[in-house]
């Protein structure tokens, strides 16, 4: 993507805090990322407005159902991550020394 330099005015404390966090050269990337996220939120807000105009507002029951589904998905992902971490550990007596091939640990 082509880039172009712009001048913006920011509160000094905010700009300096960001610059300190991201280090040299990271400020523009940080600001670009923040603007991209804001544009995504703006587009999502527009979509919600259109959908609520067409179908009506989301009800409390629908919000509760969506939240329950989100919690269930998070639980399933956490279980899967735990299972994968258990199966990724070497068997007792097996060396931990390098990359794994499809069927064995490769030791050099």
């Amino acid at each position: 993507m082509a880039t172009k330099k712009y001048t913006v005015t920011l509160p000094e404390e905010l700009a300096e805090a960001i610059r300190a966090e991201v280090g040299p050269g990271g400020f523009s990337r940080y600001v670009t990322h923040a603007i991209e996220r804001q544009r995504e939120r703006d587009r999502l807000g527009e979509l919600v407005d259109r959908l609520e105009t067409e179908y009506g507002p989301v009800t409390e029951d629908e919000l509760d159902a969506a939240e329950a589904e989100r919690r269930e998905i998070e639980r399933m992902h956490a279980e899967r991550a735990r299972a994968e971490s258990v199966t990724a550990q070497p068997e007792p007596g097996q060396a931990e020394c390098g990359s794994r091939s499809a069927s064995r640990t490769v030791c050099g």
Side-chain angles (χ1 to χ4, degrees), residues 61-76:
D61 287 344
E62 291 168 328
L63 287 173
D64 291 344
E67 178 61 20
E69 184 175 350
R70 184 195 63 78
R71 283 193 306 268
E72 177 62 17
I73 290 168
E74 283 187 354
R75 186 193 62 73
M76 290 176 4

Side-chain angles (χ1 to χ4, degrees), residues 65-101:
E67 178 61 20
E69 184 175 350
R70 184 195 63 78
R71 283 193 306 268
E72 177 62 17
I73 290 168
E74 283 187 354
R75 186 193 62 73
M76 290 176 4
H77 281 285
E79 277 184 15
R80 183 177 299 152
R82 279 192 301 275
E84 288 173 357
S85 70
V86 169
T87 59
Q89 294 178 6
E91 295 177 22
Q94 184 181 22
E96 284 189 62
C97 59
S99 64
R100 289 181 177 253
S101 70

Side-chain angles (χ1 to χ4, degrees), residues 18-100:
I18 292 168
R19 192 177 301 277
E21 288 176 23
V22 299
F27 190 80
S28 290
R29 185 172 40 255
Y30 186 95
V31 171
T32 298
H33 185 75
I35 291 169
E36 288 170 344
R37 296 299 77 77
Q38 184 60 49
R39 288 189 75 213
E40 289 173 359
R41 290 182 65 133
D42 293 347
R43 299 298 88 73
L44 286 171
E46 292 168 4
L47 175 61
V48 168
D49 290 344
R50 281 197 314 263
L51 292 173
E52 285 186 341
T53 297
E54 186 171 342
Y55 299 104
V58 177
T59 66
E60 285 298 318
D61 287 344
E62 291 168 328
L63 287 173
D64 291 344
E67 178 61 20
E69 184 175 350
R70 184 195 63 78
R71 283 193 306 268
E72 177 62 17
I73 290 168
E74 283 187 354
R75 186 193 62 73
M76 290 176 4
H77 281 285
E79 277 184 15
R80 183 177 299 152
R82 279 192 301 275
E84 288 173 357
S85 70
V86 169
T87 59
Q89 294 178 6
E91 295 177 22
Q94 184 181 22
E96 284 189 62
C97 59
S99 64
R100 289 181 177 253

